[in-house]
Amino acid sequence: MQAKEWQRDYCTELGSWQDAKHATMTSSADADASDEQNVQSSEFDNAESAGQAAIDASKRLDREGLEHGGTHILDDTVNAVGGDVGAEGRAVSYCDSSGFETLVSSAG
């Protein structure tokens, strides 16, 4: 049962990072020039810490051998947080196949 808890934790963290990343993109588009720097800094910090939490959770999955079908969940998560949409899609697919598809958004 521990494995399912780790997978759920990972997918929760991945979904939180996706939400924070989306908030960063939305708020910087909505901010006027005088507010933009403050908004970006705060939202960026949130996305960065959420991304680190997702990476940390993927390290546990990697250590415990909880990857599916030859995926490299740690590499995909690191690359997704770095902006690789393909890697984000693979990470989301991992959550889909683990049964936690409702915790993440589609990549993009």
Side-chain angles (χ1 to χ4, degrees):
M1 220 27 167
Q2 189 72 45
K4 275 294 184 199
E5 290 174 24
W6 289 335
Q7 290 169 331
R8 185 185 64 229
D9 180 55
Y10 169 73
C11 295
T12 299
E13 297 296 352
L14 184 67
S16 295
W17 166 73
Q18 289 180 310
D19 291 345
K21 178 185 75 158
H22 180 71
T24 301
M25 295 178 343
T26 303
S27 64
S28 64
D30 292 343
D32 64 32
S34 62
D35 292 337
E36 190 168 343
Q37 191 62 42
N38 292 336
V39 169
Q40 282 183 331
S41 176
S42 168
E43 298 290 348
F44 180 80
D45 289 347
N46 290 345
E48 192 172 82
S49 63
Q52 189 57 54
I55 290 168
D56 291 345
S58 73
K59 287 178 183 175
R60 184 182 310 125
L61 296 177
D62 184 61
R63 253 192 329 270
E64 300 298 326
L66 297 173
E67 299 176 327
H68 296 167
T71 62
H72 298 285
I73 197 67
L74 176 57
D75 292 341
D76 285 342
T77 305
V78 168
N79 292 331
V81 170
D84 181 337
V85 175
E88 182 181 346
R90 289 187 298 277
V92 167
S93 290
Y94 177 86
C95 291
D96 289 350
S97 64
S98 298
F100 298 110
E101 63 279 348
T102 59
L103 300 175
V104 293
S105 306
S106 58

